[in-house]
Amino acid sequence: MLNQTDRTELFHIYYKRWITVYKEGAIRKVTMAKYLMTQQWLEKLVPNLCLCQLTRLTYQQLLNDYAAEHERQTTMDFHHQLKGAILDAVDEGLIDRDPTRKAIIKGKTPREKKPKYLNQFELHTLLSHLNLAPEISWDWFILLVAKTGMRFSEALALTPKDFDFTHQMLSVNKTWDYKDDGGFLPTKNQSSVRKIELDWQTVIQFSQLIKGLAEDQPIFVHGDGKIYNSTVNDILTRRCKSAGVPSISIHGLRHTHASLLLFAGVSIASVARRLGHASMTTTQKTYLHIIQELENKDVDLVMRSLSGLG
């Protein structure tokens, strides 16, 4: 229950209490940080707006002001984070009508983004330019992510006991808290706990690399445990430039892995399991453009097959 609330309460105060009551402890720390950031934007953009003043007009103006400094997708996320609290306020009779109805989502022109994935030739070229010395390095990290499609935090959390070389399997059962102070965290969701098949070459390479390392200590994290995503992305960017291929991010290697599997004819269900997606719907949404391209090829194949009949 949200206590001591009336229609004249400031919106940003109501929202702050709402996320404390309904979100704190129920969502991941990184997601909670997004809600808190939304609350800070409310303080900045509408510090004096009361609940009773929330109309379609004032809400749309709030979205417009936010959109002036953010891209459309970010504005959409902002809208969704506010909407839950506002609908609860409507249910409680603190706001007469839903001010979020028919809201128009705007935003700045998106910046030119890095390519999301490499094709097979580009990936092969990149991997051939890695400096795969006889000891663990970020180049080995790049190779492993490219071959498994793991998330950045999942790969950071790998320990020697996660490798089952006999069965050519890699267990993903935790993540590394690289955004804060380090340490192991649970996976993104239950579907993210999975076993990934490894090719024989990777098995041979890593069985030698991790020999003698502490079984329960992360392979790629040392010292104080603080790792920056930007550090590894910078190394990958340099390797991409050296190889003469488009620069992608570490997360782009995950997209590359999935894309190559789909183009090779691996089923969406199998790709979803390998990536640790909660459902095939996530995979379909993320790789819709590739799936459509494959469907077009299938149509061509069907038409060629039918034209040869009769």
Side-chain angles (χ1 to χ4, degrees):
M1 291 288 292
L2 292 173
N3 299 321
Q4 299 174 338
T5 306
D6 62 39
R7 294 162 62 90
T8 61
E9 182 173 39
L10 293 175
F11 179 37
H12 70 83
I13 291 177
Y14 172 86
Y15 184 75
K16 186 173 185 178
R17 192 164 68 258
W18 182 85
I19 58 178
T20 300
V21 171
Y22 290 107
K23 298 299 178 182
E24 201 170 77
I27 56 178
R28 284 162 55 89
K29 193 173 180 180
V30 64
T31 309
M32 185 64 180
K34 294 176 182 177
Y35 277 93
L36 292 172
M37 181 62 71
T38 294
Q39 194 269 331
Q40 289 174 19
W41 272 102
L42 288 182
E43 286 187 32
K44 177 182 177 181
L45 297 174
V46 286
N48 302 311
L49 182 69
C50 297
L51 284 172
C52 61
Q53 296 171 316
L54 262 176
T55 63
R56 283 187 60 203
L57 193 64
T58 56
Y59 184 71
Q60 185 64 58
Q61 188 58 56
L62 168 61
L63 290 183
N64 291 352
D65 292 343
Y66 183 83
E69 299 186 44
H70 297 86
E71 293 180 16
R72 188 179 183 280
Q73 184 55 55
T74 311
T75 306
M76 179 69 81
D77 295 339
F78 179 74
H79 165 61
H80 283 152
Q81 287 168 359
L82 292 177
K83 189 171 181 177
I86 291 172
L87 292 180
D88 278 352
V90 172
D91 287 345
E92 292 166 20
L94 301 171
I95 302 172
D96 292 331
R97 296 184 181 86
D98 176 14
T100 67
R101 191 174 66 88
K102 295 185 179 179
I104 306 300
I105 308 301
K106 305 175 186 177
K108 292 198 306 183
T109 303
R111 294 166 297 164
E112 186 177 345
K113 291 183 171 63
K114 286 183 177 181
K116 279 194 172 182
Y117 62 92
L118 302 177
N119 62 36
Q120 188 165 356
F121 174 75
E122 290 167 339
L123 179 63
H124 179 77
T125 305
L126 168 64
L127 298 184
S128 69
H129 279 74
L130 294 179
N131 180 22
L132 300 176
E135 63 278 335
I136 285 291
S137 66
W138 290 119
D139 287 67
W140 283 109
F141 182 89
I142 290 168
L143 176 73
L144 191 61
V145 171
K147 287 202 168 190
T148 61
M150 283 187 294
R151 298 177 178 94
F152 180 66
S153 59
E154 293 172 343
L156 285 178
L158 287 176
T159 63
K161 68 181 179 184
D162 294 324
F163 286 84
D164 180 353
F165 295 120
T166 304
H167 299 97
Q168 293 186 211
M169 287 286 188
L170 180 60
S171 293
V172 178
N173 49 48
K174 57 193 172 303
T175 63
W176 187 259
D177 184 14
Y178 69 92
K179 292 189 176 180
D180 283 309
D181 301 321
F184 294 116
L185 288 175
T187 54
K188 185 175 183 180
N189 50 52
Q190 193 54 42
S191 303
S192 298
V193 177
R194 62 200 187 278
K195 291 185 184 295
I196 301 175
E197 296 87 353
L198 297 173
D199 64 277
W200 64 268
Q201 191 177 30
T202 303
V203 166
I204 292 171
Q205 291 168 325
F206 273 83
S207 63
Q208 295 301 312
L209 278 168
I210 66 175
K211 191 179 290 184
L213 297 182
E215 283 287 291
D216 58 353
Q217 294 300 308
I219 294 167
F220 295 104
V221 180
H222 308 287
D224 62 3
K226 190 63 182 171
I227 302 293
Y228 295 99
N229 186 280
S230 57
T231 302
V232 187
N233 276 329
D234 287 345
I235 293 170
L236 177 55
T237 296
R238 291 200 295 273
R239 298 296 181 268
C240 287
K241 286 181 178 176
S242 173
V245 302
S247 293
I248 62 168
S249 63
I250 287 290
H251 197 70
L253 288 176
R254 178 171 162 86
H255 287 312
T256 298
H257 183 81
S259 302
L260 294 184
L261 292 181
L262 289 169
F263 277 124
V266 177
S267 72
I268 296 172
S270 295
V271 174
R273 280 195 299 272
R274 192 169 174 89
L275 295 181
H277 281 163
S279 71
M280 283 192 293
T281 305
T282 305
T283 314
Q284 288 169 322
K285 284 181 179 176
T286 308
Y287 302 103
L288 180 62
H289 60 296
I290 295 171
I291 293 166
Q292 287 173 337
E293 193 173 334
L294 291 172
E295 284 176 346
N296 290 337
K297 287 183 180 178
D298 286 344
V299 170
D300 292 341
L301 184 59
V302 169
M303 289 301 105
R304 283 202 301 273
S305 300
L306 292 177
S307 65
L309 297 175

